[in-house]
Structure formats: structure tokens, C-alpha cells
Amino acid sequence: MIKRTLLTLFTLFILINGALQAQKLGFIAGPQLNYGNIISLDKNAIFQALPNAGFHAGMMYEMDFSNRWGFDAAAMYEMRNMCWNMIYTEEGNETSNKFHRQIGYLNVPAHLFVYLTNNDKGAFTLFAGPVFTCGLHARDLAYENGGLHKPVTYMDADMFSKDQGGRIMRCEFALELGFAYKWQKGFQFRASYMHSLNNGTLNNYLYTLPMEYKSPTYFTQGEVKFSFVYLFDLRK
């Protein structure tokens, strides 16, 4: 609860402060490729990540410090989809399930950027910075890997609750690196890679596999993002 409150206050500060000082303000949206990396200390468990598609959409602002450096930030709704083949081997017997996870986030990236080129046709920039996320809703679905794909487990309530059997951390901290091409008329194309830094698993959740008791799992997320942006120039 405290983390969610702090993240909300930080988000409001970024947005309000940015809106008051922004030189450009507008919209950002686009597709993304998500994958989840799960590592278990139980050596019998294997999690084979399968990339899945998601999307993001929201508001973005931008300001230049000089003709070389600048800052941008955004607040976006982001839908992430991830999937794994989960294989567990014990005494020669193999259990195999397919696991799908869907998470909706409030995503707040903040970047410093540098102009590599800037002329009458457009500008090319590199950007990097932290990303703060807050989980809004999530659901898990596990089903048999083969045959009729019979469901094994399903959960869509209290996914972030520590006290009620939750599975994932609500808040995530990540780093993002990318580039942008900016046309003079306000349009931008951006491509970036983001990876979370903190473990996202709660309460040693065992992902439907018969792993050893208290065998911890470590969950991080990666994302390749493509964004289309339109910004209004508030200086004109």
C-alpha cells in the first residue's frame, strides 16, 4: 500500500511538473514484444520463455535543456502478455504445462535524451532512463501442454496481495534504452528495450509445478517496444 501511494505521488509530481514546464505535449501508443524470465533454484524445473505481444498507450511530454540535451516522460497504460513451457522432471517422470500470464500496468518512464543529428528534415536521438510501473490487474492461466490443453489453474483475483496468496509484486523498477526519430511536424517513431531489475515473484509461488517446498523462483520481465508519438509544440 505504501509503495503504491509513493508511486502514485511520484507519477502525479512528474505529470504536473512536466505539464507546467513542457515545451511539447501529446500522445504515445504502439505495440510491444514481452517475455518473462523465470529462474528456479530447483534444478529439476525448466521454464522456457515464449515471447508474446502487448501494447501501450498514454500521454507524453518533452522539453529541451539545450540544442543538445533534453528530457521526456510519459504516463501510459500497458498490457503485457507472457507465456512459458514449464517442464519438471523427477525420478524420470516429466510433467509439462503451458503457462500464460497477462498483466496490466501503469507505466511511468522518464528519460534523458541526446541529439545525434538535428536539421530541417528531422532529428535523431538516443534516450535512456528509469521506468516505474504499478500493477493494475493481472491473471494467470496454466493448461496441459498437449492433447485438449485442459486447464490446470486459473487466477485473476488478488494477484498482488501478500496476505491472500498473491503471486507477483505490484511495483516494478526497470531501465530503458532506445532511440527516436523526430520529424519537424511533431511525429516521432521510437524503439526501445526495457528490462526490470527487481524480482517479481511473491511468496515462493511454484507455478503449478511439483517443485521442492520453499524452492524460490525469480521473475523478471523484458520488453521490446515500438512507439508512435505525436506532440503539440506549446511554444508556438
Side-chain angles (χ1 to χ4, degrees), residues 156-177:
D156 63 355
D158 301 318
M159 287 283 287
F160 308 105
S161 173
K162 292 183 178 180
D163 301 323
Q164 301 182 39
R167 301 180 173 187
I168 51 180
M169 298 288 290
R170 183 179 297 275
C171 295
E172 176 191 75
F173 178 73
L175 292 178
E176 186 172 25
L177 174 67

Side-chain angles (χ1 to χ4, degrees), residues 125-170:
T125 66
L126 293 179
F127 62 85
V131 181
F132 304 92
T133 63
C134 179
L136 303 175
H137 59 86
R139 64 178 182 177
D140 282 351
L141 173 63
Y143 49 92
E144 293 178 351
N145 194 5
L148 299 177
H149 299 289
K150 180 181 178 181
V152 178
T153 62
Y154 176 79
M155 182 176 182
D156 63 355
D158 301 318
M159 287 283 287
F160 308 105
S161 173
K162 292 183 178 180
D163 301 323
Q164 301 182 39
R167 301 180 173 187
I168 51 180
M169 298 288 290
R170 183 179 297 275

Side-chain angles (χ1 to χ4, degrees), residues 84-118:
W84 299 268
N85 279 326
M86 305 184 300
I87 303 171
Y88 190 82
T89 304
E90 185 176 24
E91 297 180 353
N93 297 318
E94 183 178 287
T95 300
S96 178
N97 292 328
K98 184 163 284 187
F99 183 75
H100 181 259
R101 169 166 287 171
Q102 186 179 74
I103 312 176
Y105 281 109
L106 169 64
N107 184 294
V108 184
H111 306 123
L112 287 175
F113 63 82
V114 57
Y115 286 98
L116 298 183
T117 62
N118 192 0

Side-chain angles (χ1 to χ4, degrees), residues 41-46 87-91 209 211-212:
L41 296 186
D42 186 341
K43 301 303 180 182
N44 293 321
I46 299 174
I87 303 171
Y88 190 82
T89 304
E90 185 176 24
E91 297 180 353
L209 294 178
M211 295 191 291
E212 297 177 4

Side-chain angles (χ1 to χ4, degrees), residues 183-195:
W183 287 269
Q184 292 295 335
K185 294 185 178 181
F187 292 99
Q188 295 185 21
F189 172 76
R190 301 165 70 93
S192 63
Y193 176 75
M194 183 186 76
H195 201 280

